Amino acid sequence: MAPKKDTKETSTSAKKKDTTAPSTTAATASVKKAVKSTSGTSGSGKDGTKVVSKDRKEKVQTKALKAKQRVVRGNQLTRKRKIHTKPTFRRPFTLRLKRQPKYPRRSVPKRNRLDHFAIIKYPLTTESAMKKIEDNNTLVFIVNIRANKPLIKQAVKKMYDVDAEKVNTLIRPDGEKKAYVRLKADHDALDVANRIGII
Amino acid sequence: MAQVTCCQIRGKSPNDLEIILKNLHEELNSLNIGRKDSNKIKNIRKSIAHVHIVQNQTIKENLKEFYHGEQYKPNDLRRKQTRAMRRSLTPKEESISLAKTQKKKRTFPKRTFAVKD
């Protein structure tokens, strides 16, 4: 009975704010009013009557919503059957989700061991290499055996700032890869060799 | 040229380390042309290795801190143990028993008797 008393108190205080004399009948009427007003505004469920009304409203609403959904969805008992026009049945396409790993399997991605420092080991300084520099505008390098021509081209560009016209490679009998890097016409192999320190 | 030791470089920022690494590599390349100063070459190669060591160690440390307490860690930050041990039941899982067996144990514990002189 405590909650009712509270409502009575609040109502009386409210009443006092408004007008009229606080008679007993008026007081009860005000209690009822208070009940109605609080149920309408759906405040705290102190009184049992208020909570039921609110629940009932929600129930009716959900029921209506469900009916609407069912209408939109269509009745599943009268299902349409697919017409197969071909004798073969192929597996239908299903949803394939993209990977969204919760954690990376490796904490750090592998470092590229074949960076341009590792590709070009050293330039050759033999007599035939010198001849190539002077005559054919090419530089001769000993190169990592796992490097391929485009990689060698990139590495030379990055290390020595020169553009290569073409790269020819061969694997020496001692297992090293030799790369003949012909430079573009606007570069002079002799200058570049001087700059690098070959000569 | 003296070898760069790990102690010398541990405090440095990753950018600094990259610069050091680049310089070492360039020096190595210039030395490789003649291929004469074998001791110097050795020092530089080892220094490069030390820089890599420091880089990788700091990265690993930071990642370990980052993933500390998380349920899902990268595989290399988890305990290595052995394959079998990783797949075995945890001590808690092993200690689970049926309510029935627990009751039995409670009502009929192992009793010890002694003969009184």
Side-chain angles (χ1 to χ4, degrees):
Chain A
M1 291 295 115
K4 260 195 177 170
K5 269 188 183 172
D6 288 344
T7 56
K8 215 173 181 181
E9 280 169 15
T10 53
S11 68
T12 49
S13 64
K15 270 229 95 185
K16 272 180 186 174
K17 278 182 192 172
D18 295 354
T19 39
T20 66
S23 61
T24 49
T25 49
T28 50
S30 69
V31 167
K32 278 186 187 172
K33 266 191 189 172
V35 168
K36 276 186 188 172
S37 63
T38 42
S39 71
T41 54
S42 68
S44 59
K46 282 188 200 171
D47 215 332
T49 51
K50 294 181 223 169
V51 174
V52 166
S53 68
K54 183 182 158 197
D55 258 10
R56 181 114 179 69
K57 208 176 184 182
E58 282 181 2
K59 253 189 186 175
V60 170
Q61 277 181 344
T62 50
K63 210 172 181 180
L65 190 65
K66 274 190 180 172
K68 178 188 172 191
Q69 280 177 346
R70 209 170 290 131
V71 166
V72 167
R73 226 193 313 141
N75 194 5
Q76 289 198 326
L77 290 175
T78 60
R79 199 189 290 248
K80 274 197 186 157
R81 297 204 174 267
K82 266 192 187 171
I83 297 171
H84 290 97
T85 55
K86 295 178 199 165
T88 49
F89 177 78
R90 306 307 304 269
R91 178 171 61 76
F93 289 125
T94 52
L95 178 63
R96 277 199 273 191
L97 293 169
K98 222 176 178 184
R99 280 200 190 203
Q100 272 170 343
K102 286 189 180 147
Y103 63 96
R105 304 300 132 156
R106 293 181 129 265
S107 56
V108 185
K110 275 189 179 178
R111 149 171 99 93
N112 179 25
R113 306 268 161 177
L114 204 64
D115 54 357
H116 52 273
F117 293 121
I119 287 174
I120 296 180
K121 287 191 185 175
Y122 52 91
L124 270 186
T125 56
T126 55
E127 277 183 27
S128 55
M130 291 297 127
K131 205 167 179 199
K132 284 274 175 197
I133 290 173
E134 290 165 22
D135 298 348
N136 300 10
N137 204 34
T138 65
L139 298 169
V140 190
F141 295 101
I142 295 296
V143 140
N144 194 318
I145 203 168
R146 297 174 84 229
N148 54 14
K149 287 182 187 177
L151 273 181
I152 294 166
K153 214 170 178 179
Q154 277 175 31
V156 165
K157 171 136 184 123
K158 201 156 185 200
M159 298 263 277
Y160 305 122
D161 269 332
V162 283
D163 288 316
E165 194 185 302
K166 65 167 174 170
V167 176
N168 288 352
T169 56
L170 64 86
I171 297 182
R172 279 175 17 179
D174 60 359
E176 312 242 39
K177 198 177 232 178
K178 193 196 299 189
Y180 294 88
V181 181
R182 185 183 168 85
L183 304 178
K184 283 209 168 140
D186 52 346
H187 295 293
D188 188 17
L190 212 59
D191 289 343
V192 180
N194 272 320
R195 185 157 53 89
I196 296 172
I198 299 173
I199 300 184
Chain B
M1 183 197 155
Q3 234 184 67
V4 175
T5 60
C6 289
C7 306
Q8 291 172 4
I9 25 176
R10 259 194 217 284
K12 307 215 169 167
S13 74
N15 284 331
D16 284 348
L17 289 177
E18 287 286 329
I19 291 167
I20 292 170
L21 198 62
K22 194 182 168 200
N23 290 337
L24 286 170
H25 270 300
E26 283 174 358
E27 235 193 291
L28 186 64
N29 267 306
S30 69
L31 283 177
N32 263 334
I33 294 168
R35 289 204 130 202
K36 284 174 186 172
D37 273 320
S38 63
N39 201 38
K40 224 177 173 186
I41 287 179
K42 177 191 155 202
N43 282 336
I44 291 179
R45 275 178 47 239
K46 297 300 171 189
S47 307
I48 291 171
H50 284 308
V51 173
H52 277 304
I53 287 171
V54 170
Q55 280 182 329
N56 293 335
Q57 278 182 346
T58 47
I59 289 171
K60 251 311 173 42
E61 261 180 59
N62 291 336
L63 279 172
K64 273 195 172 168
E65 265 184 61
F66 178 70
Y67 281 106
H68 183 67
E70 296 250 349
Q71 193 192 1
Y72 295 116
K73 293 185 195 179
N75 288 339
D76 49 339
L77 299 180
R78 301 189 189 187
R79 299 201 74 192
K80 175 77 182 184
Q81 292 180 316
T82 67
R83 192 159 201 263
M85 285 168 75
R86 276 179 268 143
R87 278 149 188 66
S88 63
L89 295 170
T90 63
K92 188 156 191 186
E93 286 166 356
E94 270 193 32
S95 69
I96 296 172
S97 55
L98 294 168
K100 188 176 175 185
T101 52
Q102 279 175 16
K103 277 186 207 165
K104 269 193 186 172
K105 277 188 181 175
R106 213 174 293 135
T107 50
F108 303 111
K110 195 102 182 169
R111 314 211 53 205
T112 51
F113 299 97
V115 176
K116 205 171 180 183
D117 282 339

